[in-house]
């Protein structure tokens, strides 16, 4: 157990699981039905620390680093960044849960983790009982409805997909500066972050291999992931398990999209609402986020 995880996740244990394509770092704690929590960009599993121990009073909680992030491995992106497709990243997490003894589980993902969760419930529908996505509309919808406000606020979507090594070189010149500027936007103030958690974001993101891997994540999102999404639409394939969408009323998603209706276009059972927060719900509005997740996952 790392010193940071021991402070942020008291009573949890650390695990490292070898999957078909990566090595995934996670922490696990609590008892009860299994619940997998997936983080977003440019963070790590530490983003869940304000609510994970509370969720662990009712669930066996697994907080996992996505491949390319945190202390998980950073495999080569491969042709067309396919190794960072949400399909590959979702498969990692299914294998993690199976290795821990869970063939079926509840699932929540914030930001990029929400996109991985979306792909996971499509590719592995029998594995997920309920899914929650935090502060996102579907990737295909967001690209398809891009306008000036969204492109200005989420410029990184279009910056990170540029060919290697333009974004890597520019971010790598001062990664901590970039990280602080990026997390200080999207309707959330820098002061919402626990310094212990933010130190983990800085430690992990400053590594050149993390910068490259996270660019590959976004390159995949703008290419192979959209092909997978288009194939689902063509086949009429939708998310069939209950889906909860939460978003921040100070954030870009609230301003530029219609999350409940956006998700109803790709899922059959959707509910959700805005919370008093910017983008980082679990850190800025932990009590409200916890209450919504407990009510949803306890059904």
């Amino acid at each position: 157990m790392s010193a940071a995880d021991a402070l942020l996740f008291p009573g949890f244990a650390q695990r490292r699981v070898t999957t078909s394509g990566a090595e995934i770092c996670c922490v696990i704690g609590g008892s009860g039905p299994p619940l997998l929590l997936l983080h977003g960009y440019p963070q790590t599993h530490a983003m869940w620390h304000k609510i994970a121990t509370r969720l662990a009073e009712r669930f066996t909680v697994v907080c996992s680093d996505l491949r390319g992030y945190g202390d998980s491995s950073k495999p080569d992106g491969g042709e067309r960044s396919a190794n960072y497709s949400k399909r590959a990243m979702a498969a990692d997490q299914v294998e993690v849960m199976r290795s821990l003894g869970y063939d079926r589980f509840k699932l929540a993902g914030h930001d990029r983790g929400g996109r991985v969760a979306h792909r996971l419930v499509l590719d592995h529908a029998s594995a997920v009982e309920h899914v929650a996505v935090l502060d996102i509309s579907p990737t295909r919808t967001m690209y398809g409805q891009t306008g000036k406000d969204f492109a200005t606020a989420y410029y990184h979507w279009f910056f990170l997909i540029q060919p290697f090594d333009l974004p890597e070189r520019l971010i790598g010149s001062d990664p901590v500066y970039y990280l602080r500027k990026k997390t200080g936007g999207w309707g959330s103030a820098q002061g919402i972050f626990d310094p212990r958690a933010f130190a983990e974001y800085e430690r992990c993101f400053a590594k050149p291999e993390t910068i490259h891997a996270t660019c590959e994540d976004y390159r995949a999102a703008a290419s192979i992931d959209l092909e997978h999404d288009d194939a689902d639409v063509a086949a009429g394939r939708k998310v069939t398990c209950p889906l909860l969408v939460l978003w921040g009323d100070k954030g870009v998603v609230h301003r530029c999209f219609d999350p409940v209706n956006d998700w109803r276009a790709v899922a059959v059972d959707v509910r959700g609402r805005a919370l008093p927060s910017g983008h980082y719900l679990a850190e800025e509005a932990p009590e409200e986020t916890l209450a919504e997740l407990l009510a949803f996952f306890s059904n």
Side-chain angles (χ1 to χ4, degrees), residues 237-259:
R237 191 178 303 113
K238 293 188 174 185
V239 175
T240 55
C241 69
L243 184 149
L244 172 70
V245 54
L246 302 172
W247 66 97
D249 64 6
K250 302 179 186 68
V252 177
V253 170
H254 180 76
R255 187 167 75 246
C256 297
F257 299 96
D258 184 357

Side-chain angles (χ1 to χ4, degrees), residues 80 87 118-119 122-123 138-144 220-238 265-266:
R80 301 179 64 227
R87 174 159 289 162
H118 182 198
R119 175 48 54 193
L122 288 169
D123 287 0
T139 303
R140 185 175 184 269
T141 302
M142 292 177 75
Y143 268 125
S223 56
I224 192 168
D225 288 347
L226 291 178
E227 293 175 13
H228 294 158
D229 291 345
D230 286 344
D232 289 330
V233 172
R237 191 178 303 113
K238 293 188 174 185
V266 298

Side-chain angles (χ1 to χ4, degrees), residues 30-99:
S31 61
L35 168 60
L36 174 63
L37 304 179
L38 301 176
H39 66 87
Y41 177 89
Q43 298 178 289
T44 74
H45 71 268
M47 64 150 284
W48 297 107
H49 73 101
K50 290 184 179 179
I51 64 174
T53 55
R54 305 271 295 279
L55 288 168
E57 295 171 5
R58 298 193 192 180
F59 304 98
T60 299
V61 176
V62 179
C63 302
S64 181
D65 286 337
L66 300 170
R67 74 161 63 180
Y69 290 80
D71 288 317
S72 290
S73 66
K74 284 82 181 171
D76 181 81
E79 186 176 353
R80 301 179 64 227
S81 306
N83 290 334
Y84 288 89
S85 68
K86 304 308 145 309
R87 174 159 289 162
M89 296 171 84
D92 282 337
Q93 301 304 324
V94 172
E95 292 183 46
V96 166
M97 294 303 281
R98 286 177 180 164
S99 77

